[in-house]
Structures are given as structure tokens and as C-alpha cells.
Amino acid sequence: DAGITQSPRYKITETGRQVTLMCHQTWSHSYMFWYRQDLGHGLRLIYYSAAADITDKGEVPDGYVVSRSKTENFPLTLESATRSQTSVYFCASSAGTGGNEQFFGPGTRLTVL
Amino acid sequence: AQSVTQLGSHVSVSEGALVLLRCNYSSSVPPYLFWYVQYPNQGLQLLLKYTSAATLVKGINGFEAEFKKSETSFHLTKPSAHMSDAAEYFCAVSALNTGGGNKLTFGTGTQLKVEL
């Protein structure tokens, strides 16, 4: 299917475990982004990528790791999950800079017990 | 640095009434401004965007927004609310030449409730 997909849609894990959230887009967009959404904070940028093998930190990167070996995939890994990382995570992609729209995936709801 | 303030985390209107959702931004360079809508358990969908062309921007579902530089505002309006407009609305800003593509800074969102 064309578009941007995320998996899993729902995940429950325990404190200290490693978790990887997957993001895949079929448009060959250069830019990809990871956000977390929390009540009272809106969406906050965790990491972004301008192209394969180019990534950079956003506003709240601590505790997260990303990679981008292929243009279409941008996985987000929580190396040792904490309760404060319970959130809804959104992946997005964009064709270019400036006024280009970001297209969002459906989100992954992560609960850390 | 850039930031967005959305006044009112919850707004309630009657069906058929005017919808007004407020957004003020700050940006050290000319901004690009966006309004996104989020329906329950879904991702964000673009409603409209301002990219330095016309200051009055029309979007989907009858929404529009006006860029007012003097007021640093980009308020979202719709003349007549429909039940299907009930959702959360996010204003976002990005700026030219910030690197990293169009990194967006989001407001905290406004939950719109439409009552019969």
C-alpha cells in the first residue's frame, strides 16, 4: 500500500526492555521525522533524517536511537524503556524543505509498565 | 528559535456556529505556517498551509486561516461548524533555512467539541 505505515500500532513493554518502532514510507521522501505526542505538550520532535545515513537530534532525543540505512525506513529504538516514554509516537515524511507538507503515519501507542 | 501558542486547549461550539481557533507564533525569520487536524486514534492530516503567497489561505473541509504578520497570528476559522469537525487541531510553524528540512514546531493543540 502506498503511504506511510507504522508498526506495531500498539505495544506494551516493561521498564528496561529494548523496543523498536518501525516506520516505512513508499513515496521516496528525503526527509523523515519521529515525534511523540503527550497531553499538554502537543507533538515534540525526537529525531529527524534528511536522507539515508543522515540523522540529527530534535527537541527530546534522550533515550532514543534512530537509523536510516534505506530511504524508505526510519526505525526508532528505545534502548532501555522508561515509564516516561509511555506516549503515542508518530512518524512523518516530507519531500523537501520550507513549505512542504509533512505526511503522518497512524501512530504507535506505547505503554511502558 | 520558533514557537507556537494556541490559546484555549478546549473550544466548544454549537453546530452551525462560527469556529475560531487561535494560533500565535514567533519566528526570527519569515515563517511557514500549518494547521493540522487529528481525529481520534489517527495521525495528523494537513488542513492548510501558509507559504508566503496569499495571506488568506483556504483549506479542506471549509476551513481557512489568515496570516497577520503585525499580530504574529494565524487563526483558523470556519463559518459554520459541523459535527464531523470535532477533532484536535494543531498549529505548527517552520522556517526557511533552519536545516533538517522543514522541522515543525507544534502548538499544544486545541480540542474542538461541536454540540447539537
Side-chain angles (χ1 to χ4, degrees), chain B residues 7 11 20 29 39-40 44 46-47 49 54-55 57 60 86 90 92-93 99 104-105 112:
Chain B
L7 290 174
V11 170
L20 170 60
V29 296
Y39 298 102
L44 278 70
L46 183 70
L47 272 179
K49 64 180 181 181
T55 56
V57 181
I60 62 172
F90 291 94
V93 62
L104 291 177
T105 299
L112 176 66

Side-chain angles (χ1 to χ4, degrees), chain A residues 4 20-34 47-56 65-77 91-96, chain B residues 100-101:
Chain A
I4 183 164
T20 296
L21 310 184
M22 304 301 292
C23 178
H24 175 78
Q25 52 104 354
T26 60
W27 295 302
S28 298
H29 284 169
S30 296
Y31 296 92
M32 295 188 75
F33 308 83
W34 273 107
Y47 269 95
Y48 64 94
S49 169
D53 298 322
I54 301 175
T55 62
D56 206 349
V65 174
V66 293
S67 62
R68 196 166 175 208
S69 58
K70 293 183 178 181
T71 299
E72 62 266 29
N73 296 324
F74 191 38
L76 175 73
T77 298
C91 179
S93 71
S94 177

Side-chain angles (χ1 to χ4, degrees), chain B residues 6-113:
Chain B
Q6 290 185 241
L7 290 174
S9 58
H10 292 82
V11 170
S12 184
V13 300
S14 300
E15 191 174 34
L18 171 72
V19 175
L20 170 60
L21 304 182
R22 299 178 185 274
C23 173
N24 288 89
Y25 70 92
S26 70
S27 177
S28 56
V29 296
Y32 298 109
L33 293 157
F34 304 79
W35 275 101
Y36 282 86
V37 61
Q38 184 182 31
Y39 298 102
N41 298 315
Q42 294 186 26
L44 278 70
Q45 177 184 359
L46 183 70
L47 272 179
L48 50 80
K49 64 180 181 181
Y50 167 75
T51 58
S52 76
T55 56
L56 183 62
V57 181
K58 294 187 184 298
I60 62 172
N61 301 338
F63 284 93
E64 63 182 37
E66 186 172 8
F67 172 70
K68 292 187 176 180
K69 184 178 179 180
S70 61
E71 298 177 8
T72 61
S73 68
F74 190 57
H75 302 329
L76 182 70
T77 60
K78 181 174 180 177
S80 177
H82 191 272
M83 295 297 289
S84 61
D85 295 326
E88 189 154 24
Y89 293 80
F90 291 94
C91 182
V93 62
S94 72
L96 186 64
N97 298 329
T98 55
N102 54 329
K103 281 194 296 181
L104 291 177
T105 299
F106 284 87
T108 52
T110 297
Q111 186 72 45
L112 176 66
K113 182 178 180 181

